[in-house]
Amino acid sequence: LSQGHFPASQRFRSRRQMSRLEPPRSARSSFYRPAMGSSRADVDLAPSRSAVKEAGMPLWLSMTLGDSAILSALEQVDEWDFDVFALDRVSDHRPIVVGGIFMIRSLGLVQKLKLPMEELVNFLVAIEAGYIPTNPFHNAVHAADVMFTLRYFLQRPFFSNLLAPLDVLAALLAALSHDFAHPGVSNTFLINARTDEAILYNDQSVLEMFHAAGTFRVMLSKPGCDLTKSFTREQFLQLRETMIAMILSTDMKYHFQHLNRMRERMATDKYATVQRKDVVFLLGQALHAADISNPTKPRALQLQWTERVMTEFFLQGDYEKALHLPVSAFMDRDKPAIAQCQIGFISVLVKPLYVEMRNLLGEGLQIPVDTVQCNLNDWETEGDGMCRGWELLRAANLPDVTA
């Protein structure tokens, strides 16, 4: 294998779903499972659970949304400690379709934007199918969790008074598709391995470009998935612009640049007046905050997510070793430093962003700020003892990709 290139049968492809190097069953861990615009203030961001079935909704989905186990799992949807893993289990591993339709429908967006239910369902089914279920972290459950977390931000008065229904729809769809077809490896890996996607996107926000492009390819090219078919040209362009900007904002390379921009504005007028560019920017910040929200959740949820992300990190490190590429920081299972990784992640990246989000959105964000500090204290006190019982430190028996 020359300079880290994949054999033709195992390379990521830009014209089809990227199929990641799937670990053998011995390395899958317990995370593996088989695949399966109007006025600003006229959208109520508190979901109504009494919404009725719209025409075009398939029978299976209508029955699922009315199931008592689903309704029970969604009871805490307004709370910061909402358990998306419970929804994934009771929805037969369809958290994007079930969670997405529940939220879009209950916020009244179907009626306000005249969304065609059949195309909306088809789109979400296709997006969910595009996520790779063998990814321990970057999968449909993560996407659904990000959507529910983002909606928690959007129901704060600052956003609820600012956003039009089209903005809310764009935000929810961006959250659900922000990691569409994620291969389970980072931008650095794709660039170092010289994949087709890195070449296509010139090493710039490779994954984020890929997710956004793939999302709109599904919407506009897959039969029966164009949920914008009744939109005006202006509505479609606004939806597309907002979704793309939001997805690109999840690239960690923009974290400090965007955080400093937000701090400077908060130190002046605290967004007392906003332009369209401010709305799009703040939606991007909200999605980015939701994307890295795992350490702000209660300890039990936080540890589930941490085990998943570190499992995926170590798998990437295994592939980097096999391809003779530099092993990325904190991704070497032979030199585990999980507590150190989490302490740095929380103290340098997550906590400062959430402090600014609280300053912007108010007391509703005090819960995650307090929780992330508790989790940071636990990592500093208990160290890698927090990971007791995890199986992720075992070496993966990976396929030979060096021949």
Side-chain angles (χ1 to χ4, degrees):
L1 187 67
S2 167
Q3 196 64 23
H5 285 265
F6 289 97
S9 63
Q10 294 180 319
R11 292 181 65 190
F12 302 130
R13 293 294 183 182
S14 60
R15 292 177 183 261
R16 60 175 170 83
Q17 174 181 311
M18 285 201 284
S19 57
R20 90 188 264 290
L21 296 173
E22 181 178 311
R25 290 186 181 275
S26 62
R28 284 175 181 167
S29 83
S30 59
F31 301 124
Y32 175 78
R33 60 174 171 79
M36 291 249 333
S38 50
S39 64
R40 286 181 176 174
D42 65 345
V43 55
D44 181 2
L45 289 171
S48 167
R49 291 161 180 77
S50 61
V52 297
K53 175 183 178 295
E54 283 79 20
M57 182 183 293
L59 180 60
W60 69 265
L61 182 55
S62 179
M63 294 179 65
T64 298
L65 289 170
D67 183 83
S68 59
I70 297 292
L71 294 175
S72 177
L74 290 168
E75 280 183 356
Q76 299 299 313
V77 72
D78 295 327
E79 306 302 324
W80 188 251
D81 60 354
F82 173 70
D83 186 356
V84 74
F85 296 113
L87 177 62
D88 179 57
R89 289 190 296 271
V90 300
S91 67
D92 193 24
H93 307 301
R94 288 171 167 167
I96 287 180
V97 176
V98 173
I101 291 297
F102 169 82
M103 192 55 62
I104 291 169
R105 182 170 171 250
S106 59
L107 293 177
L109 298 176
V110 174
Q111 291 77 21
K112 289 181 171 67
L113 296 171
K114 297 180 172 57
L115 298 175
M117 180 58 71
E118 183 174 355
E119 283 76 8
L120 176 60
V121 172
N122 289 343
F123 172 76
L124 293 180
V125 167
I127 291 298
E128 189 154 58
Y131 279 90
I132 300 172
T134 52
N135 287 346
F137 182 83
H138 287 104
N139 53 39
V141 186
H142 166 66
D145 184 58
V146 170
M147 188 268 294
F148 284 113
T149 303
L150 175 67
R151 207 280 306 190
Y152 183 92
F153 299 149
L154 300 188
Q155 67 177 341
R156 303 304 110 193
F158 176 86
F159 273 127
S160 63
N161 294 328
L162 181 69
L163 302 178
L166 188 59
D167 295 320
V168 177
L169 177 68
L172 298 179
L173 295 181
L176 291 171
S177 60
H178 81 281
D179 277 332
F180 175 70
H182 198 294
V185 292
S186 67
N187 280 331
T188 299
F189 181 96
L190 298 179
I191 292 167
N192 288 341
R194 301 180 183 179
T195 63
D196 289 349
E197 289 66 40
I199 294 170
L200 176 64
Y201 298 118
N202 300 310
D203 297 347
Q204 302 300 308
S205 301
V206 178
L207 284 168
E208 294 75 22
M209 293 282 194
F210 173 78
H211 302 320
T215 295
F216 280 95
R217 188 175 296 116
V218 167
M219 186 184 295
L220 302 179
S221 299
K222 189 173 180 62
C225 291
D226 186 5
L227 60 98
T228 69
K229 67 179 187 179
S230 64
F231 282 15
T232 65
R233 180 176 182 275
E234 290 72 20
Q235 283 179 308
F236 171 76
L237 290 177
Q238 180 175 319
L239 178 87
R240 178 168 163 80
E241 173 197 32
T242 305
M243 288 180 63
I244 291 174
M246 290 182 68
I247 293 171
L248 294 183
S249 293
T250 63
D251 188 343
M252 286 298 301
K253 78 176 184 180
Y254 296 121
H255 176 88
F256 293 107
Q257 175 188 337
H258 288 177
L259 179 57
N260 289 335
R261 175 179 167 183
M262 188 176 178
R263 279 173 170 163
E264 290 172 2
R265 186 66 183 273
M266 289 299 294
T268 55
D269 70 347
K270 297 185 178 181
Y271 291 98
T273 59
V274 294
Q275 300 177 5
R276 181 64 196 171
K277 64 180 182 180
D278 299 318
V279 175
V280 175
F281 170 73
L282 290 173
L283 284 172
Q285 282 295 87
L287 179 58
H288 174 50
D291 194 25
I292 63 172
S293 67
N294 303 150
T296 71
K297 300 298 175 70
R299 175 171 170 137
L301 293 176
Q302 178 228 186
L303 289 178
Q304 288 187 71
W305 286 119
T306 304
E307 184 178 7
R308 286 167 176 261
V309 75
M310 294 307 303
T311 300
E312 196 167 288
F313 279 5
F314 286 165
L315 286 172
Q316 173 171 325
D318 295 337
Y319 288 124
E320 287 170 328
K321 292 176 185 178
L323 294 167
H324 305 293
L325 299 174
V327 178
S328 300
F330 300 111
M331 296 189 184
D332 190 342
R333 73 172 68 246
D334 296 322
K335 301 175 183 177
I338 299 173
Q340 181 184 350
C341 175
Q342 292 305 301
I343 290 169
F345 182 52
I346 293 171
S347 60
V348 176
L349 299 172
V350 180
K351 183 181 174 182
L353 175 59
Y354 269 79
V355 168
E356 287 305 315
M357 292 296 290
R358 180 196 59 192
N359 292 340
L360 176 70
L361 301 181
E363 288 303 310
L365 270 290
Q366 190 61 46
I367 294 174
V369 170
D370 291 342
T371 306
V372 78
Q373 183 62 54
C374 289
N375 289 332
L376 176 59
N377 294 343
D378 288 346
W379 283 111
E380 291 176 336
T381 302
E382 301 178 41
D384 287 338
M386 297 266 284
C387 315
R388 190 173 293 108
W390 292 3
E391 298 180 0
L392 76 171
L393 299 180
R394 65 184 180 184
N397 180 23
L398 298 177
D400 182 10
V401 296
T402 61

